[in-house]
Amino acid sequence: MHIAFVDSNPAALEAIRLAKEAGHRVTYLQSAEPFYPPTEKNLRIVGSVDHLVDGLVTTDAGTVTRVLAERHAVDPIDVVTGQLELSAEAVAIACRELGLRGTDTDAVLTARRKDRCRAALEKAGLASARYALAGTEEEVLAAAEEIGYPVILKPPSGADSLLSCVATNADEAAAGCRAVLTGLDAVPAQWHEQFTRGVLVEEYLVGTLVSVELGARDGEFFPFAVSGRFRWAEDEVVELGSYIPANLPGDGTAACVAYAVDVCRAIGLDLGVFHLEIMVTERGPVLVEVNPRVMGGALPTIYRHATGTDIFSGLLSILEPGAEVVRPGALDGCVGGRKVMARDGGTLAAGAALEWIADEPGVLEVVGFDSYGTGPGQRVSAGQIVARFMLRGPDHPSVVRTAERILRRLEEDLGVALMIGEKD
């Protein structure tokens, strides 16, 4: 099978490695400013592809269409996938223009526009958050008043929570609106067009945040995992990490999976593995957002430790027509990935060390200073990630207890206060 990958977040480079290992031909379209660190492993993966087209603006539909057309004429492409959300629209449009197999174009364009996504849920009669798309500060304030504070303000086609904020009153809403409308200096230039589509004002959902990883092919859906979030007790907007499986009572997990399937059907997502963030509220599961890509960050690694299988093997099996879908293995307790985040900033102690964490009971993996551009004697800012560790326990509470014990000792070793304490 000839697979064309259009750009990638760091985690999804593993899909390219596995595709080559499985004997597939791989074309890779890469941004002029790659979104992965240039580690030896990452460069080796990118260097292994059959055809690399570098230096592109992968968010530009015309560019992606032209490059895919040129490659398809030489070596017919069987399927196209994009694992970077800001390139998803360009990939979808190119597939439609060239008649290439990929996720349904209209579905991707709907998923990438959170206002259109919510409209599709309402039309399908599914639970959703109250929302409004505004273009001016006056419209934002009117929408926030009608929805009721607190509200979330964000770009309708954003990513990585850039320019998003919570507003509890009119003054905060006005400031948040100005940040969205005028804050492009914080956004990479090639993303600007997708960040200038107005201001989405949404109901602030209260409940337990989870994500569902859901595959789709030929009208069939394949649930891979439901994960939970460690959220800081002092500010629940701050995510301290993730864990699998989610800590939901009764039939909560089944309800979230069923709701995620309904969301994908309503939007039309038909081919791939999708990452749906869902708030489990008093009225049941409610969509936060749906991403037409595989989960990112540390979640693929947590998934591998939790299930003994690779989520990107699942993606490749779904993309290959007729292939048996790689399902997750049986879960062994709870696996969590915990960020080490500075609370107030400061200077790391000259003797700061992380090596001892690996010897702690239940710890599976430690991601050290180098991965986060810091180290002993260096300054860190408030909220900066210093390191990360992954651990396994018999259940979620045991993982929380072990993580907090490690973090308390780390505070002493690092010499800076850390974000410790999970929201109940």
Side-chain angles (χ1 to χ4, degrees):
M1 183 168 65
H2 183 189
I3 309 172
F5 290 88
V6 181
D7 229 324
S8 175
N9 59 38
L13 288 176
E14 184 68 4
I16 295 176
R17 187 189 72 78
L18 291 170
K20 287 302 302 171
E21 189 176 275
H24 298 301
R25 301 191 311 286
V26 173
T27 290
Y28 184 44
L29 279 61
Q30 180 165 264
S31 169
E33 299 178 10
F35 297 98
Y36 58 83
T39 63
E40 181 181 346
K41 177 184 177 182
N42 289 344
L43 294 175
R44 185 168 61 249
I45 291 172
V46 172
S48 73
V49 304
D50 299 278
H51 187 70
L52 172 66
V53 186
D54 202 356
L56 302 175
V57 179
T58 57
T59 56
D60 180 72
T63 297
V64 173
T65 301
R66 173 182 58 79
V67 174
L68 288 177
E70 291 172 355
R71 185 59 181 159
H72 186 58
V74 175
D75 183 5
I77 295 169
D78 295 299
V79 67
V80 183
T81 183
Q83 295 300 317
L84 186 72
E85 53 261 60
L86 272 300
S87 300
E89 294 184 22
V91 173
I93 291 170
C95 286
R96 180 172 62 192
E97 291 295 315
L98 301 173
L100 295 174
R101 183 168 175 261
T103 310
D104 179 82
T105 301
D106 290 339
V108 172
L109 298 180
T110 298
R112 285 290 304 138
R113 282 291 299 260
K114 296 178 178 65
D115 55 318
R116 296 177 183 173
C117 184
R118 296 226 174 270
L121 298 190
E122 290 183 351
K123 182 177 180 181
L126 298 177
S128 184
R130 299 189 300 278
Y131 76 99
L133 182 65
T136 65
E137 184 175 319
E138 182 180 25
E139 291 175 354
V140 165
L141 294 177
E145 189 69 30
E146 182 175 348
I147 291 170
Y149 290 101
V151 293
I152 304 286
L153 274 64
K154 64 179 75 171
S157 302
D160 293 335
S161 298
L162 285 173
L163 307 184
S164 299
C165 71
V166 178
T168 62
N169 55 51
D171 288 342
E172 292 177 358
C177 171
R178 290 191 292 271
V180 175
L181 294 177
T182 65
L184 289 181
D185 288 347
V187 178
Q190 62 268 41
W191 296 3
H192 282 188
E193 190 278 328
Q194 293 180 62
F195 273 75
T196 52
R197 296 171 175 173
V199 181
L200 186 67
V201 185
E202 285 187 331
E203 171 191 0
Y204 181 84
L205 297 171
V206 176
T208 300
L209 182 63
V210 304
S211 65
V212 177
E213 315 309 325
L214 187 67
R217 186 182 70 189
D218 298 332
E220 187 175 0
F221 291 91
F222 307 89
F224 287 99
V226 179
S227 64
R229 300 288 182 275
F230 298 118
R231 300 163 77 191
W232 192 26
E234 298 184 28
D235 184 352
E236 65 182 49
V237 174
V238 178
E239 291 187 11
L240 302 176
S242 305
Y243 58 92
I244 295 175
N247 186 35
L248 295 175
D251 62 354
T253 295
C256 286
V257 170
Y259 175 77
V261 169
D262 288 341
V263 168
C264 287
R265 284 184 173 140
I267 297 171
L269 291 169
D270 61 343
L271 179 67
V273 177
F274 312 118
H275 175 68
L276 294 92
E277 295 186 4
I278 292 169
M279 191 72 76
V280 183
T281 71
E282 290 183 349
R283 65 180 190 265
V286 179
L287 184 73
V288 175
E289 65 180 29
V290 54
N291 297 283
R293 57 160 175 80
V294 177
M295 56 189 172
L299 266 171
T301 305
I302 296 170
Y303 177 88
R304 175 168 49 81
H305 283 303
T307 68
T309 56
D310 196 297
I311 188 66
F312 295 109
S313 292
L315 171 66
L316 293 174
S317 64
I318 278 179
L319 294 180
E320 185 172 1
E324 182 179 354
V325 174
V326 177
R327 305 282 190 132
L331 297 180
D332 180 11
C334 177
V335 174
R338 187 63 165 75
K339 302 173 186 175
V340 180
M341 296 178 69
R343 174 180 175 143
D344 305 311
T347 300
L348 298 182
L354 302 170
E355 289 77 13
W356 61 267
I357 302 175
D359 297 326
E360 291 294 299
V363 171
L364 302 167
E365 186 175 333
V366 179
V367 183
F369 293 131
D370 290 347
S371 296
Y372 297 99
T374 187
Q378 295 191 25
R379 291 280 305 175
V380 294
S381 57
Q384 182 174 345
I385 302 175
V386 176
R388 188 192 302 262
F389 57 92
M390 299 184 189
L391 69 165
R392 187 194 311 277
D395 51 30
H396 169 255
S398 69
V399 168
V400 171
R401 287 193 300 269
T402 301
E404 294 199 358
R405 177 176 54 77
I406 292 172
L407 290 164
R408 294 293 180 194
R409 178 177 166 185
L410 269 176
E411 273 195 325
E412 298 178 8
D413 284 5
L414 299 179
V416 298
L418 301 175
M419 293 181 181
I420 303 175
E422 186 189 4
K423 178 183 180 293
D424 293 332

